[in-house]
């Protein structure tokens, strides 16, 4: 090679390299460069799971009284000021009722609220009039309806995610998703007209199936149904006003574009919960593989964004299937999720719904009014690594 073509060897600043190596080692030691995914703690064992009969009995007694709500699904809840709680239901039966059955002309609306005051008294909130009740919340298109998402008291308001639907056929499951929105209601008088804000709709994600506040941020969870599967998505807002602009979890970071939202997990139900047990331990509660059935499961992650580990069984519902308490293969359980205001890191209050594939007037749902009512259970975790239990409201009132 000629002298004019020869390249000199580049100078390596070894002092700077050594300094950078020291900085990296120190940073890793201090946890400044956290690995992704973060390390996951072992899943806590289930010590016990049993029905929470006091709450089941209270709703049964009220439902059989004919004073308002007689059955419903979804069963979200949140604490309100003044020692009150609100239970938010999607499809809801109203009077008349003839316990233990309901007549074919029983009232029906697509959503309702059930408020329990500080003395334990229950009252129903719906729209319309006494003579002609209607859903509390309705979209502008009269052909559509709202089902309710994870109702939560934040930012001084009762904030209720909404999913808008319309009929796509004769069956009870023949429905088409239209889009998500947010309702804000006055917690002191939920009868007042709500403000409704559309949420992002470009991906067909059903946002608001869970809401989890974490310090200065609030996470909003949704599901994306694709080819019979349901995929978990995660967004968040700054603060607690859920009308603010979403940022979307991409699997590695956050984006302002819904198109970048990543599928974080599959096999998730249409309704579920993601609950903080303690630092670096989050619990996803859902039905097994997101299916209609009888097995309630939990998956665990070190952050609100996952990654979520394998499923652990929490409870087998006794009502579902031909061998269940109704001896009907059409009866199933669904919509399992936690009630945070009643729960601690080791004692979880969880609800699920019971329904039938046959919901026509005169079917089992009418012959047995108890089918279409929530069940509550208490799951005790044998978790020696948990922090001191935080206080919780008395679920029994």
């Amino acid at each position: 090679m000629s002298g004019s073509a020869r390249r000199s060897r580049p100078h390596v600043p070894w002092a700077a390299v050594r300094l950078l190596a020291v900085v990296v080692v120190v940073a890793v030691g201090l946890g400044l460069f956290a690995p992704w995914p973060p390390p996951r703690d072992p899943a806590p064992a289930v010590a016990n799971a049993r029905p929470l009969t006091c709450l089941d009995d209270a709703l049964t007694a009220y439902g059989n009284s004919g004073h308002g709500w007689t059955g419903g699904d979804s069963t979200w809840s949140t604490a309100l000021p003044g020692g009150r709680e609100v239970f938010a239901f999607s499809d809801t039966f109203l009077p008349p009722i003839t316990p233990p059955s309901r007549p074919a002309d029983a009232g029906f609306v697509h959503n309702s609220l059930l408020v329990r005051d500080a003395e334990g008294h229950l009252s129903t909130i719906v729209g319309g009039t006494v003579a002609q009740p209607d859903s509390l919340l309705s979209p502008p298109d009269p052909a559509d309806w709202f089902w309710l998402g994870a109702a939560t008291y934040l930012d001084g308001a009762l904030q209720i995610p909404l999913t808008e639907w319309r009929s796509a056929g004769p069956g009870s499951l023949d429905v088409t998703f239209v889009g998500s929105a947010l309702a804000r209601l006055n917690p002191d008088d939920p009868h007042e007209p709500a403000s409704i804000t559309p949420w992002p709709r470009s991906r067909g994600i059903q946002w608001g199936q869970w809401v989890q506040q974490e310090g200065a941020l609030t996470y909003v969870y949704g599901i994306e149904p694709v080819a019979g599967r349901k995929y978990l998505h995660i967004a968040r807002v700054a603060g607690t006003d859920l009308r603010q602009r979403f940022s979307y979890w991409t699997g590695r970071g956050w984006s302002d574009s819904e198109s970048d939202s990543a599928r974080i997990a599959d096999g998730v139900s249409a309704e579920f919960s993601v609950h903080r047990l303690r630092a670096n331990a989050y619990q996803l509660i859902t039905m097994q593989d997101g299916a209609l059935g009888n097995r309630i499961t939990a998956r665990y992650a070190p952050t609100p964004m996952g990654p979520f580990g394998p499923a652990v069984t929490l409870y087998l519902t006794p009502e579902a299937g031909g061998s269940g308490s109704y001896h009907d293969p059409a009866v199933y359980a669904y919509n399992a999720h936690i009630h945070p205001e009643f729960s601690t890191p080791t004692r979880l209050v969880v609800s699920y719904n019971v329904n039938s594939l046959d919901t026509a007037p005169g079917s089992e749902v009418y012959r047995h009014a108890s089918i279409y009512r929530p069940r509550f259970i208490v799951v005790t975790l044998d978790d020696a690594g948990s922090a001191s239990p935080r206080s919780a409201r008395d679920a029994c009132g």
Side-chain angles (χ1 to χ4, degrees), residues 36 63 78 170 176 191 194 244 270 314 350 369:
W36 183 263
T78 189
T176 297
H191 287 98
Q244 300 303 308
L314 295 183
V350 176

Side-chain angles (χ1 to χ4, degrees), residues 277-278 345-346 381 383-389:
L277 293 177
R278 61 178 187 275
T346 57
L381 300 179
D383 190 3
S386 68
S388 300

Side-chain angles (χ1 to χ4, degrees), residues 93 102-104 170 172 355-367:
F93 276 113
R102 58 171 53 92
S172 59
N355 204 343
S356 172
L357 295 173
D358 183 4
T359 59
S363 67
E364 287 296 288
V365 172
Y366 288 80
R367 288 194 293 271

Side-chain angles (χ1 to χ4, degrees), residues 92-262:
T92 301
F93 276 113
L94 298 172
I97 188 167
T98 53
S101 63
R102 58 171 53 92
D105 65 343
F108 180 85
V109 295
H110 285 299
N111 53 74
S112 68
L113 300 180
L114 194 58
V115 176
R116 184 169 70 176
D117 66 20
E119 287 73 43
H121 302 127
L122 294 166
S123 58
T124 301
I125 298 177
V126 293
T129 65
V130 174
Q132 291 186 313
D134 199 356
S135 302
L136 176 63
L137 300 166
S138 297
D141 189 335
D144 296 354
W145 66 86
F146 284 137
W147 285 335
L148 305 188
T152 184
Y153 176 73
L154 289 172
D155 194 46
L158 176 56
Q159 301 190 65
I160 304 180
L162 308 170
T163 52
E164 185 175 345
W165 301 85
R166 66 172 55 117
S167 178
S172 59
L173 300 179
D174 296 331
V175 296
T176 297
F177 175 63
V178 177
S180 300
L182 175 75
R184 282 176 64 99
L185 290 85
N186 181 350
D188 297 321
D189 187 4
H191 287 98
E192 292 183 2
S195 67
I196 296 179
T197 304
W199 268 352
R201 300 187 172 196
S202 66
R203 284 280 302 275
I205 298 171
Q206 299 166 23
W207 291 111
Q209 301 310 97
W210 191 252
V211 174
Q212 173 75 23
Q213 183 187 2
E214 287 287 314
L217 299 167
T218 304
Y219 293 85
V220 179
Y221 295 83
I223 60 107
E224 178 191 18
V226 179
R229 303 292 291 176
K230 295 183 178 69
Y231 295 90
L232 178 68
H233 286 257
I234 306 170
R236 72 183 186 186
V237 300
T240 54
D241 183 347
L242 300 181
R243 296 171 298 183
Q244 300 303 308
R245 183 179 179 88
F246 281 10
S247 295
Y248 306 91
W249 180 242
T250 68
R252 297 289 296 182
W254 296 94
S255 169
D256 290 336
S257 175
E258 190 184 21
S259 63
D260 294 331
S261 183

Side-chain angles (χ1 to χ4, degrees), residues 66-107:
H67 293 154
W69 176 98
T70 69
D73 70 354
S74 286
T75 323
W76 310 105
S77 74
T78 189
L80 294 178
R84 298 171 296 144
E85 289 99 25
V86 62
F87 297 90
F89 293 94
S90 294
D91 285 345
T92 301
F93 276 113
L94 298 172
I97 188 167
T98 53
S101 63
R102 58 171 53 92
D105 65 343

